[in-house]
Amino acid sequence: MTSSNAVQGAGQLETRGIEPVPENECNGHPLQLFWVWFAANISILGLPLGATLVAFRGLSIGQAIIVAILGAAGSFAVVGVISIAGRRGRAPSLTLSRAIFGVRGNIGPTIVSLMSRLGWETVNTTTAAFVLLSLCSILFSTPVEAKSAPGLTLLFIAIFVLMTLTVSGLGHATLLVIQKWATYIFGALNVVVGGFLIAHIDWAAVFNAAPAPMSAMIIGIGTMAAGTGIGWANAGADMSRYQHRSVTAGRLVASAAFGAGIPLVLLITLGGLLSVGNDHLASATDPIIAIRELLPTWMAVPYLITAFGGLLLSNNLSVYSAGLTTLTLGLKIKRVHAVIVDIVAIFAGSIYFMLIADSFYGPFITFISMLAVPITAWVGIFIVDLLHRHYYSAPDLMDVSPRSAYWYRGGIEWRALGAWALAIVLGYSFTTVATTPENVLFKGFLADSWFGHNGLGWIVTFVVAGGLYAVLGGARDRRPAAQEVVHAR
């Protein structure tokens, strides 16, 4: 991990790793974060999320919009709260987490975070390769099935990961610029594609749809939160660590909530509208192809380009965050090399799921969704700690030896780790894990309770983790010596 003595601009390699950013380099503003979160959530894959609300939960469009606002935009407000820690401590989320869990105790949350990031990146990469296969089949009549064209499949995976590597490898300043200007381009394409999709809406069915019970809305909010903001929560501070110290907490929260909320609410609403009286989109194994079938042939090319761009913008941010998370595990390598390690992992994973495995989306999305439980527990503890902790010791965040103030007992803050572990166990007790309705892999003993039946195990996890940590006295402001402090104003 190499420190930089000067601010890197767009197109220059960011040489800083996870070490806290010096105050003289912190000149960011909330609008930058707005575009980062907007770009990461402009993917056309938001449509199937809305489709499930209407087709499977029976929500009316009005209810689906409310659920989208509370579940998607609301969960990204949580991402904004985590961003406050980045402005205070000037370090990535999981690096700051060392102050809470201890330098060794933090390994568990860090591994979970990295698995989640790599999981979603594999989903993005695999889906993007399918998009390019479909595009190539239209233009050149090549096979659309991955296993029928292994050479093309490998090429398209490589194209996507190399494009991701270019932006994520260069780092923070380049990411800010690319995410902003690419949003204009792919945002405009999304509007065009959305305009054509509107022609398939059954407006009579929309206005005649009966509302679903409140329990269906509650389940929908949990589904939207788990599929959107919760998965990004542990990346909040990764981007905000460069924000100017004058930026208020409210503006950080708003930048995430509105930046991600605007595209997500619009896409989720459109997906819901398309699914009134028609569950094809919600039940499709390949949502990209399902949406393409709704469009005229000549619109398929811009649609697929739009889908590819949205996946790429999401992957850029995810891989950048994953590189920082990898360094937090203690690897003594440069940040760009950590990004390359992550790229190799998702390249290998995508090859396996496209060319070897018999199925992908069902089992893999289930696996990623399971990680939402430990991530939610981490978020609960992190936020409770954030309410009390206004100081982070920069030297001790980077010191993984017993000399660190964050060594605690044996390198572990047992109150935080214990609360995290107990909340995870309890959270899974309310959880049903299944790849299909018929193939149930695991069912917690409280899954049939009101909380479990209504998909509220994540709320129990959040409350128990944060509440127990607070009760045990873990949430208190530890103030190291003034010269070692990164001070939040």
Side-chain angles (χ1 to χ4, degrees):
M1 298 176 294
T2 305
S3 298
S4 64
N5 296 319
V7 180
Q8 284 92 27
Q12 295 178 302
L13 180 66
E14 180 190 14
T15 56
R16 174 168 292 103
I18 59 174
E19 59 271 24
V21 183
E23 283 290 335
N24 66 324
E25 295 184 29
C26 298
N27 299 307
H29 52 85
L31 188 58
Q32 293 173 327
L33 298 183
F34 173 89
W35 290 117
V36 164
W37 295 120
F38 197 107
N41 292 278
I42 204 172
S43 169
I44 205 82
L45 290 180
L47 295 177
L49 285 175
T52 61
L53 292 177
V54 172
F56 295 156
R57 300 301 177 193
L59 301 185
S60 67
I61 288 303
Q63 290 177 316
I65 293 173
I66 294 172
V67 166
I69 293 172
L70 296 178
S75 64
F76 265 95
V78 175
V79 177
V81 172
I82 303 296
S83 298
I84 298 170
R87 188 210 58 194
R88 289 181 182 176
R90 301 303 184 193
S93 303
L94 271 298
T95 304
L96 297 173
S97 184
R98 287 175 173 175
I100 305 170
F101 290 88
V103 295
R104 286 181 173 174
N106 192 51
I107 292 175
T110 303
I111 290 175
V112 169
S113 177
L114 183 58
M115 290 172 64
S116 178
R117 291 266 65 82
L118 292 177
W120 283 115
E121 288 155 18
T122 303
V123 170
N124 288 340
T125 304
T126 301
T127 306
F130 278 126
V131 167
L132 292 181
L133 281 170
S134 184
L135 182 61
C136 196
S137 71
I138 294 173
L139 298 176
F140 307 108
S141 300
T142 55
V144 73
E145 295 292 332
K147 293 180 181 179
S148 300
L152 274 179
T153 300
L154 289 172
L155 174 64
F156 292 152
I157 293 174
I159 288 173
F160 186 77
V161 298
L162 286 174
M163 292 178 73
T164 301
L165 175 62
T166 300
V167 177
S168 302
L170 285 174
H172 183 268
T174 302
L175 193 65
L176 292 179
V177 173
I178 294 295
Q179 299 294 91
K180 176 182 177 179
W181 291 105
T183 298
Y184 292 150
I185 298 171
F186 293 109
L189 286 172
N190 267 285
V191 171
V192 173
V193 172
F196 278 88
L197 289 173
I198 287 174
H200 294 270
I201 296 172
D202 185 345
W203 291 105
V206 169
F207 292 118
N208 292 327
M214 181 62 68
S215 59
M217 292 185 67
I218 294 173
I219 295 173
I221 291 171
T223 302
M224 292 302 102
T228 56
I230 294 301
W232 283 106
N234 45 26
D238 298 356
M239 295 306 298
S240 64
R241 61 200 176 117
Y242 283 92
Q243 290 288 293
H244 193 272
R245 63 182 178 181
S246 65
V247 175
T248 64
R251 294 172 69 191
L252 289 174
V253 173
S255 65
F258 286 98
I262 291 173
L264 282 173
V265 170
L266 291 175
L267 288 167
I268 289 170
T269 300
L270 179 56
L273 287 169
L274 291 170
S275 296
V276 175
N278 181 3
D279 67 355
H280 180 59
L281 177 57
S283 58
T285 55
D286 187 343
I288 293 290
I289 297 300
I291 299 168
R292 175 191 158 188
E293 291 173 351
L294 298 174
L295 295 167
T297 303
W298 65 271
M299 268 297 297
V301 171
Y303 159 67
L304 292 170
I305 293 173
T306 302
F308 181 85
L311 292 164
L312 183 62
L313 293 177
S314 177
N315 223 47
N316 287 341
L317 183 58
S318 186
V319 170
Y320 177 76
S321 177
L324 298 174
T325 304
T326 300
L327 291 178
T328 303
L329 286 174
L331 274 69
K332 302 299 183 181
I333 56 178
K334 295 180 179 180
R335 185 198 60 82
V336 67
H337 294 158
V339 169
I340 293 173
V341 169
D342 295 323
I343 285 290
V344 170
I346 61 176
F347 186 84
S350 298
I351 291 174
Y352 173 78
F353 286 110
M354 294 191 73
L355 297 178
I356 300 174
D358 294 326
S359 61
F360 170 61
Y361 284 105
F364 211 74
I365 295 299
T366 298
F367 165 71
I368 294 171
S369 298
M370 287 179 63
L371 295 178
V373 172
I375 290 174
T376 303
W378 177 86
V379 170
I381 293 170
F382 195 96
I383 289 179
V384 169
D385 187 84
L386 184 64
L387 294 173
H388 296 81
R389 186 189 301 275
H390 297 278
Y391 299 86
Y392 293 90
S393 169
D396 291 308
L397 284 174
M398 301 305 298
D399 187 355
V400 295
S401 74
R403 297 185 300 273
S404 173
Y406 303 133
W407 181 258
Y408 302 118
R409 297 179 60 185
I412 300 172
E413 219 303 358
W414 290 99
R415 289 169 294 189
L417 190 63
W420 185 65
L422 182 60
I424 291 172
V425 172
L426 190 59
Y428 282 130
S429 298
F430 289 96
T431 302
T432 299
V433 179
T435 56
T436 65
E438 298 77 25
N439 186 23
V440 177
L441 303 178
F442 169 80
K443 187 173 184 178
F445 71 95
L446 296 174
D448 291 325
S449 66
W450 186 85
F451 281 98
H453 182 71
N454 288 288
L456 297 179
W458 64 281
I459 290 183
V460 175
T461 303
F462 179 86
V463 172
V464 169
L468 184 58
Y469 177 64
V471 168
L472 292 175
R476 68 172 187 265
D477 192 10
R478 300 179 180 86
R479 302 193 178 200
Q483 67 271 19
E484 297 178 347
V485 161
V486 175
H487 182 203
R489 290 174 171 82

